[in-house]
Amino acid sequence: MLDNRDVNDAVRPADPTPPASSSTTDGTGPRTRPRTGSRLYPRVTSFRSRRGALTPNQQKSWDRTWPLIGREVADEPLDADTWFGRPAPLVIEIGCGTGTATAEMAQAEPHLNLIGIEVYQPGLAQLVQRIERDEIGNIRLLRGDAVDVLENMIAPGSLTGVRVFFPDPWPKARHHKRRLLQPATVALIADRLRPGGVLHVATDHADYAEHIAAVGAEEPLLVGLNETTGGVSAQHRESAPIGFERPVTKFESKAHRAGSAINEFIWGKIE
C-alpha cells in the first residue's frame, strides 16, 4: 500500500461476490449479524487483503513493537484508556494504509488517542517503523475489518472522531454496493460517536462524493460542519474536538496534478 490511497485497500472485497452488509438498523441502532469465514480475511467483507512479505528490518521492528501497540480484531470490548495508559479522547482512522497521514496527525494532536485500522500487514509494518523511529506514543493499531471493530470492540458513544480518507470508490455501477460508506455503516459510525464527535471523510472521486453526501445527509444523528455538508466550517473549526486539517500525501498530490477535486465531508453528531 502506498500512502492514503491505501485506505482504499482496507475497504476492497477479496472476491467478486458483492458483500452483504454486516450491520443493519431497525430504528433502535445498529445490530450485529453473524460473521462468516476467517476473522482476519473474511470471505464476505468490506475489504480485500493484499499479501506481502515484510522486509527483514520491518520484521524486526514488528517483533519489537507490535505486541505493545497492535492487536487483531476480537470480540472483547476495547479498553482504550488502559491500552494507551491514559484517558484521552479517542479517534479512529479507518484504513490507515502505510500511515503517512496517521503519524503526522497523531504528532500534531498529542492530546488525542488515535487508533488506525488496517488489514495489509506490510502497510502496518511501515507505520510501526515510523512509530518506533519517531517515538509516537499516541497511536495504537488494529488489524482487521473496520466494521467488525466498530460492531464488536467499540462501545456506543465512545469515539470523539472517525476519519475515512480516500476509501475505494468502486466506480462500476454493479460494484457500488461494495462501497464502505453505505447507510448502515454511517449509522454504525454515528452510534459509536459521542455527542459532538466528528466524522471526517475525504474522496477524490466525484461520483462517490455524491453518494457520500447523500448518505450523510440522510443520517439523522449527524449535522454538517463544513460547506460540503451544508455547514460553515469557520463556525466549528475552533470548537471541534478534532482538527479539520489533513496532511497532503503523495497520493493526494498526484490527484491534484491530475486535476481531481478533493471533496471533504465533515459531520458532527448532534448533542
Side-chain angles (χ1 to χ4, degrees):
M1 272 183 203
L2 298 175
D3 296 304
N4 264 22
R5 186 58 157 186
D6 311 309
V7 169
N8 303 346
D9 292 304
V11 292
R12 287 177 181 163
D15 58 47
T17 305
S21 172
S22 60
S23 176
T24 61
T25 55
D26 57 6
T28 60
R31 55 186 169 85
T32 304
R33 288 181 180 175
R35 293 181 301 275
T36 59
S38 165
R39 186 61 176 268
L40 185 56
Y41 304 111
R43 183 184 65 82
V44 179
T45 182
S46 62
F47 64 80
R48 179 184 70 190
S49 169
R50 292 172 54 190
R51 278 85 171 168
L54 305 189
T55 67
N57 285 338
Q58 286 177 340
Q59 187 65 59
K60 290 176 183 178
S61 180
W62 184 275
D63 292 342
R64 287 190 300 265
T65 306
W66 178 260
L68 302 175
I69 67 169
R71 298 179 183 177
E72 292 193 357
V73 61
D75 289 320
E76 294 77 17
L78 184 67
D79 183 348
D81 289 354
T82 298
W83 195 16
F84 282 88
R86 65 170 190 175
L90 182 62
V91 177
I92 280 180
E93 182 183 351
I94 296 176
C96 60
T98 60
T100 302
T102 310
E104 290 189 32
M105 297 181 85
Q107 290 173 308
E109 300 173 317
H111 61 289
L112 300 178
N113 287 342
L114 176 60
I115 294 177
I117 304 174
E118 180 58 71
V119 172
Y120 182 53
Q121 188 182 16
L124 283 170
Q126 289 188 49
L127 179 51
V128 167
Q129 285 184 303
R130 173 78 178 270
I131 292 169
E132 185 179 59
R133 182 183 71 243
D134 294 351
E135 299 182 342
I136 305 173
N138 61 326
I139 298 178
R140 299 293 183 269
L141 302 172
L142 288 171
R143 189 179 181 207
D145 178 25
V147 173
D148 198 353
V149 170
L150 289 168
E151 287 182 335
N152 297 295
M153 301 184 74
I154 305 299
S158 63
L159 298 178
T160 293
V162 174
R163 290 165 169 154
V164 189
F165 298 151
F166 304 102
D168 194 292
W170 288 105
K172 295 182 179 179
R174 67 178 183 273
H175 294 156
H176 285 181
K177 65 184 68 177
R178 300 180 183 179
R179 291 171 168 173
L180 173 70
L181 294 171
Q182 303 290 354
T185 307
V186 172
L188 176 62
I189 291 171
D191 178 76
R192 280 9 183 200
L193 286 171
R194 68 167 178 79
V198 172
L199 169 60
H200 185 176
V201 180
T203 182
D204 68 319
H205 192 276
D207 179 70
Y208 199 13
E210 292 182 8
H211 171 87
I212 293 168
V215 170
E218 292 297 317
E219 172 48 53
L221 293 179
L222 299 179
V223 62
L225 299 183
N226 73 336
E227 286 69 17
T228 313
T229 57
V232 179
S233 59
Q235 296 179 358
H236 305 285
R237 190 178 298 273
E238 297 301 322
S239 60
I242 67 173
F244 287 2
E245 303 301 322
R246 294 182 298 102
V248 176
T249 64
K250 291 180 181 178
F251 160 69
E252 187 171 350
S253 296
K254 184 177 179 180
H256 282 301
R257 290 194 299 271
S260 300
I262 307 299
N263 288 279
E264 302 271 354
F265 301 90
I266 306 177
W267 288 280
K269 184 172 180 179
I270 58 174
E271 301 188 58

